[in-house]
Amino acid sequence: MVYKKKVLFLSSVVGVLALLYAGTWIFEPERVHSRNAAFQWLDPKRLDEVDRIELSGSSRDPLTLIRKEAAWFVSRDDGEYPAKQGRIEDFLRILSTKGAYPVRGTETASHERLGLTEAAASRILIRGGAAADPLLDLLVGSQDPTGREVYLRKQGQPEIRSGNDILSGYISSSKTAWYNLRLFPEAENSGLGVDSVQRITVYPLASSLEQATEAEEPSAPEGPFSLSRSQEGWIIEGASVPELDTQRVESYIRSIVDAEGEDFIPAPAGIKEDGFNQGQIILELGNGLRRSIRIGPALDSNNQRSALVSDTPFIYALAEWTMSRLFRTASYFEKP
């Protein structure tokens, strides 16, 4: 009987100590602060409604992103251009995921000092549907003294919070950072790859005569050639190459499939589709489809060239180094 009483007494003591420990753990100041700091700016249940994002700030031109039929585009005065879906999804995920955003104050008088007035702050405006009120109207102010955090508040509300400065990079980035500049964006979803290309035809750039100096005789431009898949690997037509380096051929095709432009450009004045005739690459796929890159007039800056890709209305600016990777000579594929 005495033994049972001792066991009961000790069990009670253990239970009380456990409750005390749990209480100190739950109500520990740092843990309470952490729970109070947990905050999300955008309700994740409303992400499907988002169809327009507007970013503005004193150091950049306003940027507008719009969603149409589940695809995002960058809106410009001259049209709408494909946007990086993953970048926008990451941006919305940051806003709709709980993070450490502790309250730093509620005094309206401190808004100007912290860069949180409407005139001084950067702004993230997210809209959905025809509703007049935005889903989120967030002001991003100055950095804190450490430079690691930034002050934030919702427009129309006095409450000031702070958090890791991960939004400023999105707000201050250039428009080109939001563009999906892949010449063949379907390659991102395995719709186009090296294995799907059966034949590639290269019409060299019409520039070899222009590059000759006055002191040397211009060489005749190289004619078009084709690389075709065979049981042995690859064969070439239109050029005299004894044996092809399969690895080089497939690496070359991969560079075409993964190629990106530097920017989207408006159609040059007076240039129509038939003006893109200064070089061409044609991909023939296993499903019978053909895709092509056609080179047009040179652009004014950085030796860039304009390019028109089949099945798209967009004109791309291609860098000089991209052009050199796209337009290889037939001898490049010769096996060492």
Side-chain angles (χ1 to χ4, degrees):
M1 194 70 177
V2 174
Y3 173 76
K4 289 183 178 180
K5 287 182 179 180
K6 287 184 177 180
V7 171
L8 182 60
F9 173 75
L10 291 174
S11 298
S12 300
V13 171
V14 170
V16 170
L17 291 174
L19 289 172
L20 289 173
Y21 175 77
T24 57
W25 185 80
I26 293 172
F27 297 106
E28 182 183 0
E30 290 186 6
R31 203 168 293 277
V32 171
H33 174 75
S34 178
R35 288 201 305 275
N36 291 337
F39 187 77
Q40 61 194 23
W41 297 104
L42 180 63
D43 185 350
K45 295 179 181 178
R46 307 199 69 180
L47 283 177
D48 290 340
E49 301 176 39
V50 177
D51 57 17
R52 186 180 181 91
I53 301 172
E54 299 172 24
L55 305 178
S56 59
S58 58
S59 62
R60 57 150 304 131
D61 294 329
L63 173 77
T64 300
L65 305 165
I66 58 175
R67 184 164 67 173
K68 292 185 174 180
E69 298 180 357
W72 283 96
F73 297 86
V74 178
S75 178
R76 294 194 333 195
D77 292 340
D78 60 336
E80 296 167 357
Y81 296 86
K84 292 178 180 176
Q85 312 299 305
R87 179 178 174 85
I88 297 174
E89 289 169 2
D90 289 343
F91 180 60
L92 291 174
R93 188 178 301 114
I94 291 170
L95 292 170
S96 60
T97 300
K98 282 190 176 181
Y101 296 103
V103 176
R104 298 303 186 186
T106 57
E107 296 180 2
T108 305
S110 62
H111 290 176
E112 184 173 358
R113 177 173 57 85
L114 301 178
L116 286 172
T117 61
E118 188 172 346
S122 298
R123 191 173 186 178
I124 300 171
L125 192 61
I126 297 180
R127 298 186 181 276
D133 294 332
L135 300 176
L136 176 65
D137 191 349
L138 180 62
L139 300 178
V140 182
S142 307
Q143 291 180 332
D144 74 347
T146 69
R148 294 191 297 269
E149 293 196 346
V150 68
Y151 296 106
L152 310 105
R153 76 175 177 92
K154 287 187 177 182
Q155 171 72 332
Q157 298 182 12
E159 184 178 81
I160 301 168
R161 291 179 178 268
S162 70
N164 287 337
D165 190 12
I166 53 180
L167 294 175
S168 296
Y170 288 93
I171 297 172
S172 62
S173 60
S174 65
K175 284 187 178 180
T176 54
W178 294 92
Y179 293 146
N180 183 354
L181 286 161
R182 293 190 66 138
L183 305 188
F184 301 108
E186 65 268 34
E188 293 178 302
N189 302 315
S190 301
L192 174 63
V194 175
D195 293 341
S196 60
V197 176
Q198 300 299 308
R199 180 183 172 92
I200 178 169
T201 302
V202 179
Y203 292 85
L205 292 173
S207 58
S208 58
L209 293 178
E210 298 172 5
Q211 293 173 353
T213 65
E214 294 181 359
E216 60 185 22
E217 289 293 328
S219 59
E222 186 179 85
F225 63 90
S226 297
L227 299 163
S228 300
R229 194 181 295 275
S230 71
Q231 291 181 347
E232 292 76 23
W234 292 86
I235 59 174
I236 192 167
E237 303 170 29
S240 178
V241 179
E243 188 176 0
L244 296 181
D245 186 327
T246 297
Q247 187 173 350
R248 275 200 170 189
V249 173
E250 296 191 346
S251 176
Y252 170 64
I253 295 174
R254 187 174 295 106
S255 70
I256 295 173
V257 170
D258 293 338
E260 296 187 14
E262 300 297 300
D263 199 352
F264 291 110
I265 60 174
I271 296 294
K272 299 181 180 179
E273 186 172 334
D274 56 6
F276 289 82
N277 56 6
Q278 299 184 24
Q280 184 175 194
I281 295 172
I282 300 174
L283 302 178
E284 298 179 43
L285 310 181
N287 57 10
L289 297 178
R290 290 160 56 101
R291 302 300 306 277
S292 67
I293 304 170
R294 298 171 59 181
I295 305 303
L299 302 175
D300 294 334
S301 59
N302 302 319
N303 295 320
Q304 293 181 347
R305 300 291 292 264
S306 57
L308 186 65
V309 179
S310 59
D311 300 330
T312 76
F314 309 112
I315 299 175
Y316 298 82
L318 300 186
E320 185 176 19
W321 70 272
T322 301
M323 294 291 297
S324 65
R325 292 179 62 193
L326 293 178
F327 287 90
R328 299 288 191 182
T329 60
S331 59
Y332 170 80
F333 303 102
E334 184 174 352
K335 192 170 185 178

